[in-house]
Amino acid sequence: MHRTLLDCCVQNVEQNDFEKMYRGKQSAKQIPNPNIEIRNKLESKQISNRESSKQRMGMMPVWNFLYFGHLQLFRISSFVLRNFCSRQPAKQPYAWLVFAFVFFMSGCLVGPDYQRPQIDTPQIWRVEDKNVQAITNISWWEQYNDPVLNELVQSGLQENKDIKIAAARIEQFLGLYTTTRAALFPQVGAGTTAGRQRLSEIAGPAPFEDTVNTFPNFNNFQFFVNATWEIDFWGKLRRATEAARANTLASEEARKSVILTLVTSVTNSYINLRDLDKQLEVTRQTAKSYEATYNIFKLRFDYGYVSAMELNQAQQQYEQALANIPFFEKAIAQQENNLSVLLGRNPGPIPRGKTVDELTLPTVPADLPSEVLANRPDIRQAEQNLVAANANIGVAKALYFPSVSLTTLYGTASSDFSRLFSGPSRIWTIAAPISAPIFTAGAIAGQVQSAEGFQQETLFRYQQVIITAFQEVNDSLVDQDRTKEQLTALTRQVDALREYARLAWLRFDEGYSSYLEVTYSQNLLYNAELERIGVQMILLQAYANLYKAMGIGG
C-alpha cells in the first residue's frame, strides 16, 4: 500500500512538473522572459547530458539512493507511528528494543555522578560553655543592644561595594548558566537574501553567447527559517549545565560569605572604635590629673618644698600623657575612615552609641560541628565548586563519543520577487550530521586528565576549608572562654593598682617616700587600665568572630 501511494505521488509530481515546464515554454514563445530562457536553456542542456550513457550510469546510483532512501524513510516513519502512537503495541519486540535503546541513549550521562565526600566530623567542641543557647535570630549583632550599631550594619548591607560586586558576579554566572543550558534545546533562526547576479557568458556547460534572447543577469530572492539541535546522547551538554549551575550556586554562597564577613567587620570595627574612644577618655583624664599634680609641684618648687628633680618627674609624667592623646586621636580618625569604607561611604565621622562598657555580651550559640557544615557559606561554596569540577569530567569524557546533530531549513527562493511565496518556490532540507574523533594525538585524554586533576584539587580544598572551619570555631570558643578569665584578672589588677596609687600618694604627702614611688604607681595604673580596655574589646570581638566561624548571620 505504501509503495502504491509513493508511486502515485511520484507520478503526480512528474506530471505537474511536466505541465509547468510545458506552460513555461509556451509562455516563453509568446512573451520573451530572460530568466525563463535561462532556465529552459539549462534544462535542455541537462536533458542532452542525460542522453549520454556515461552520465546516465553515473546518475543511476544517486537516483536509486534517493528513491529507495525516501521509501525506507517513509516506511520507518509509518512503522514508528503505528507502533508508538497506537493504543496496542506491535507484536514484534523490535519496536520496543528500538524505543528502549533510544530512551537509554538519551538518558546516558558520561562521567562520575557527584557524591559528597566522607568528612571526619567531631562530635563536640574542645571547649564547652555552660550558657550556650539555641539562636533563632540570625541578627546576632543586635544582642550588643546598641541601636547605632544596628543601623550601621543595616547601612553596610545596603551600600557596601563588596556586596554589590558579589551580586553582580552572581548575575554573570546566571548568564553563563542560561547560555550553557540553552544548548540543550533547538536553536531556531531566520534569514532573508535579496541580490542580483551576473553569470559568465562564455563559461559553464551552456554558454550564453550561443543562445538568443538570454541574458546573464538575474535576481535572487530567498527567505528561510532554519533550526539546529545537538542531541545530547552522552550527556555532554547536561554535564556542562550541571557545572554551570554549581558555579552559579557557588557564586551565591560567595555573596553570603561576603555578607557574613561584612557584618563581622562592621561590628568589630565599631567595637574597636568605641574601645579607642575609651582609651582616649582614660588618657585625657590621666593627663588632666597629671597636669593638676604638675601645677602643685610648680608652686611647691617656688616655695622650696620640693626639689627640681621631683618637679621634672611630674612634668615628664604629664608630657607623656599629653603625647598619647594625638596617638589615639589619629587611630580614631583612621578607624572611622575604615568603617566608612565598609559602609560604602566616603571617609567621615561615625555616630556613637553606647560606650564599650555598656555593650552587652552576646550568648554563645549551641550549634554542633555537624551544623557548622550546613551553616558556613564558604563550605557550601567549596562543595559547589567540587560539584562543578566533578561535572566537568563528564564534559571532557563525552568528547570521546560521536556528536549527533539535527539541522533543518525551510523557506522560499525565486528569481522573481512576485513569485517568492508561491508553491514552486519552496525549498527545504533535513540533515543529521555525525562527527566522531578518530585520532586527536591525546588531546581528549589530556582534557580528561586535566579535569580529573582539577577535581582532586577541588576535593582537597573542600576538605581543607572544613578543617579550617572547625579550627576557627574552636579558636573562637577558646578565645571567648579564656579572655573572660583574663578580663576578670585585669579588673582585679586595676582595682589593686588604684588603691596602690592612692596609698603611694599618701606616703609621699606625709613624707615617708619620694615622688618616684607615686610616679611608678600611677604609670602602672594607667597602663593596666589601657590593657583592660583592650582585653574588653577582644572579648566583645571574640563573640562576633564566633558567630562568623559558625556561619551564623550570612
Side-chain angles (χ1 to χ4, degrees):
M1 177 180 178
H2 301 307
R3 180 61 179 271
T4 305
L5 179 60
L6 180 61
D7 294 339
C8 294
C9 293
V10 172
Q11 292 177 2
N12 292 334
V13 171
E14 291 178 351
Q15 184 176 359
N16 293 335
D17 293 341
F18 179 79
E19 292 176 356
K20 292 177 181 178
M21 185 184 301
Y22 180 77
R23 289 196 301 265
K25 292 183 178 180
Q26 293 295 331
S27 60
K29 292 181 179 179
Q30 298 175 1
I31 303 175
N33 191 324
N35 296 325
I36 295 179
E37 291 293 336
I38 294 173
R39 185 174 69 248
N40 295 338
K41 181 64 177 179
L42 293 177
E43 289 176 354
S44 62
K45 188 64 177 178
Q46 292 175 1
I47 293 174
S48 63
N49 291 336
R50 284 199 299 267
E51 291 178 353
S52 62
S53 60
K54 184 177 180 180
Q55 294 293 334
R56 188 162 56 248
M57 292 298 296
M59 292 298 296
M60 282 185 64
V62 178
W63 289 111
N64 291 335
F65 175 78
L66 293 177
Y67 176 78
F68 290 106
H70 187 275
L71 179 60
Q72 294 298 328
L73 180 62
F74 182 81
R75 289 177 176 176
I76 293 173
S77 302
S78 61
F79 175 78
V80 173
L81 292 174
R82 182 177 69 254
N83 290 284
F84 296 111
C85 297
S86 60
R87 295 186 178 179
Q88 297 182 356
K91 296 181 180 179
Q92 296 86 354
Y94 304 106
W96 298 108
L97 291 177
V98 173
F99 177 77
F101 175 76
V102 173
F103 179 79
F104 171 77
M105 293 305 295
S106 63
C108 179
L109 281 175
V110 178
D113 293 329
Y114 174 74
Q115 294 181 355
R116 176 174 291 181
Q118 296 293 333
I119 303 299
D120 184 14
T121 305
Q123 299 299 322
I124 58 175
W125 303 112
R126 291 188 58 187
V127 178
E128 294 187 3
D129 197 304
K130 298 180 180 179
N131 299 321
V132 296
Q133 296 182 10
I135 304 301
T136 57
N137 181 16
I138 62 174
S139 301
W140 49 264
W141 54 89
E142 296 178 354
Q143 299 184 51
Y144 289 101
N145 293 327
D146 192 339
V148 175
L149 174 60
N150 299 338
E151 294 178 0
L152 292 177
V153 171
Q154 294 300 326
S155 177
L157 292 175
Q158 296 175 2
E159 301 297 335
N160 181 261
K161 300 302 183 288
D162 290 332
I163 293 181
K164 294 183 178 181
I165 292 173
R169 191 175 294 113
I170 293 177
E171 295 297 326
Q172 298 176 19
F173 281 99
L174 280 175
L176 294 176
Y177 168 70
T178 303
T179 303
T180 305
R181 184 174 177 269
L184 291 170
F185 302 95
Q187 308 297 308
V188 182
T192 182
T193 302
R196 183 172 177 82
Q197 185 177 359
R198 172 183 171 85
L199 298 179
S200 174
E201 298 183 13
I202 59 175
F208 289 99
E209 63 179 3
D210 300 334
T211 305
V212 183
N213 297 328
T214 57
F215 302 95
N217 301 325
F218 63 94
N219 299 326
N220 182 22
F221 301 98
Q222 291 185 5
F223 176 78
F224 59 88
V225 177
N226 64 322
T228 60
W229 183 26
E230 181 178 355
I231 303 176
D232 193 21
F233 277 132
W234 320 109
K236 179 181 69 174
L237 301 179
R238 281 170 286 169
R239 288 299 190 190
T241 303
E242 179 184 354
R245 179 179 179 275
N247 288 330
T248 303
L249 295 177
S251 65
E252 171 63 22
E253 298 302 333
R255 184 185 70 88
K256 294 180 181 179
S257 296
V258 173
I259 292 176
L260 184 59
T261 302
L262 171 69
V263 170
T264 307
S265 298
V266 171
T267 302
N268 288 339
S269 296
Y270 180 78
I271 293 174
N272 189 15
L273 180 62
R274 299 305 287 144
D275 175 79
L276 292 173
D277 290 338
K278 181 67 175 179
Q279 291 182 351
L280 178 61
E281 179 185 355
V282 171
T283 301
R284 284 174 174 172
Q285 291 177 354
T286 302
K288 185 177 181 181
S289 175
Y290 290 169
E291 182 183 13
T293 302
Y294 176 59
N295 292 331
I296 293 175
F297 268 65
K298 285 194 298 183
L299 292 176
R300 288 186 175 185
F301 176 76
D302 293 340
Y303 288 95
Y305 291 104
V306 295
S307 63
M309 184 183 66
E310 293 174 329
L311 177 63
N312 291 330
Q313 287 179 348
Q315 182 180 4
Q316 179 271 336
Q317 193 177 32
Y318 170 59
E319 297 297 340
Q320 182 181 5
L322 288 180
N324 290 335
I325 293 178
F327 171 78
F328 288 113
E329 290 177 343
K330 178 185 68 175
I332 289 174
Q334 293 175 346
Q335 188 63 26
E336 285 181 329
N337 295 338
N338 181 39
L339 187 53
S340 297
V341 173
L342 290 176
L343 299 178
R345 307 173 182 173
N346 292 324
I350 298 296
R352 289 351 186 238
K354 294 185 177 181
T355 64
V356 69
D357 296 326
E358 297 172 343
L359 296 177
T360 305
L361 288 176
T363 57
V364 178
D367 288 354
L368 297 176
S370 59
E371 295 173 339
V372 172
L373 297 179
N375 289 338
R376 284 189 56 133
D378 58 339
I379 295 179
R380 297 197 299 267
Q381 178 186 1
E383 184 176 10
Q384 292 300 326
N385 290 333
L386 180 59
V387 172
N390 190 79
N392 285 328
I393 296 178
V395 175
K397 287 186 175 181
L399 299 176
Y400 282 118
F401 301 93
S403 176
V404 182
S405 302
L406 293 178
T407 61
T408 61
L409 183 143
Y410 182 83
T412 60
S414 175
S415 59
D416 188 0
F417 184 77
S418 62
R419 302 182 60 190
L420 180 61
F421 297 99
S422 60
S425 64
R426 289 180 297 177
I427 58 173
W428 59 267
T429 179
I430 299 177
I434 301 177
S435 61
I438 297 178
F439 176 74
T440 60
I444 299 178
Q447 295 185 44
V448 174
Q449 182 180 5
S450 176
E452 291 176 344
F454 183 73
Q455 189 267 349
Q456 289 296 311
E457 176 189 350
T458 310
L459 172 61
F460 296 142
R461 185 178 292 113
Y462 170 65
Q463 295 173 346
Q464 182 64 35
V465 169
I466 293 177
I467 295 175
T468 303
F470 292 151
Q471 175 196 355
E472 291 177 353
V473 174
N474 279 290
D475 289 346
S476 299
L477 288 172
V478 173
D479 189 11
Q480 61 89 20
D481 186 70
R482 297 297 180 261
T483 305
K484 281 183 181 179
E485 299 177 0
Q486 183 182 6
L487 181 62
T488 302
L490 285 174
T491 301
R492 294 194 299 264
Q493 180 188 14
V494 169
D495 294 339
L497 288 175
R498 187 173 289 112
E499 181 65 16
Y500 172 48
R502 186 184 68 85
L503 295 176
W505 177 261
L506 290 177
R507 285 173 56 82
F508 168 74
D509 195 45
E510 295 294 333
Y512 292 104
S513 62
S514 64
Y515 188 72
L516 182 62
E517 183 177 357
V518 176
T519 304
Y520 177 73
S521 63
Q522 290 179 344
N523 289 336
L524 287 178
L525 176 60
Y526 172 65
N527 293 329
E529 287 181 338
L530 295 182
E531 184 180 3
R532 179 190 175 279
I533 295 172
V535 172
Q536 186 178 13
M537 176 197 67
I538 294 175
L539 179 60
L540 291 170
Q541 292 179 342
Y543 283 88
N545 295 331
L546 177 60
Y547 277 96
K548 177 186 177 183
M550 289 189 170
I552 302 176

